[in-house]
Amino acid sequence: MLLCFLCVGCSSVNDDTDNDSVERIVVGDDVPIFSVVVVDHGMLTTFSTGHLEGETVIVFFSTLCGDCKRELPELNAYYLRHRNDAGFQMVAISRAEDEDMVAPFWEEYGLEIPYSAQPDRRIYDMFAKSIVPRVYFVAPSGKVTKVLIENFDVGE
């Protein structure tokens, strides 16, 4: 009986097994307008989709996600290659994880992407119902130009 309860309890916590993964934002859509506080090399700044100047990359992740652990270093390499490009912005936003979970993870993996630890799913839920990692490429116009989900190659 206890085993059955534990299985049901765990499945309600992790919605990534849900086959009905609703995409709320797809290529061609306007990116939702939001602002978050971001940790960028130890400094607190603000990231806002209301002020896009160049290519913007928004990454959603969880520190407990195996695909995220595998893909975030690749995304970090992409960030390092493009961080000095005119107007380029990249931010990684946690899905329901606070600073106490995200900061040690960033340090352990040597990540430099500016991140925003979000203790709830408010921002994530604007984009999708389930599955991380997710990456949204956004043009200066605010239009989503590319969406990558789970396993991907960001290329050059």
Side-chain angles (χ1 to χ4, degrees):
M1 181 71 117
L2 179 60
L3 180 59
C4 183
F5 174 75
L6 287 174
C7 289
V8 170
C10 290
S11 68
S12 68
V13 172
N14 183 356
D15 68 355
D16 285 353
T17 59
D18 186 351
N19 289 331
D20 182 26
S21 62
V22 175
E23 303 300 325
R24 295 188 172 117
I25 300 297
V26 296
V27 171
D29 287 350
D30 289 326
V31 70
I33 302 297
F34 68 89
S35 295
V36 291
V37 173
V38 171
V39 177
D40 186 358
H41 296 89
M43 305 288 291
L44 294 180
T45 63
T46 300
F47 169 83
S48 174
T49 56
H51 307 324
L52 303 178
E53 297 177 13
E55 178 186 55
T56 298
V57 182
I58 301 169
V59 179
F60 289 100
F61 72 94
S62 166
T63 62
L64 304 175
C65 163
D67 287 335
C68 297
K69 291 175 182 178
R70 207 170 25 259
E71 301 296 342
L72 280 168
E74 295 299 319
L75 290 167
N76 194 69
Y78 184 84
Y79 169 74
L80 294 174
R81 283 193 307 272
H82 295 283
R83 67 180 169 189
N84 294 323
D85 294 357
F88 178 80
Q89 298 180 87
M90 187 171 193
V91 64
I93 301 172
S94 69
R95 183 183 71 176
E97 294 182 318
D98 63 18
E99 181 70 15
D100 291 340
M101 293 180 78
V102 177
F105 179 85
W106 236 242
E107 186 174 330
E108 177 184 348
Y109 283 83
L111 302 174
E112 294 189 42
I113 304 166
Y115 72 85
S116 180
Q118 296 294 306
D120 57 29
R121 295 173 58 110
R122 184 179 62 84
I123 303 298
Y124 176 80
D125 284 347
M126 292 179 188
F127 289 81
K129 180 179 175 185
S130 64
I131 304 175
V132 290
R134 293 181 162 273
V135 180
Y136 295 83
F137 290 80
V138 184
S141 65
K143 295 282 185 198
V144 175
T145 59
K146 185 189 228 181
V147 178
L148 304 173
I149 301 171
E150 287 186 295
N151 298 311
F152 41 81
D153 177 15
V154 292
E156 186 52 37

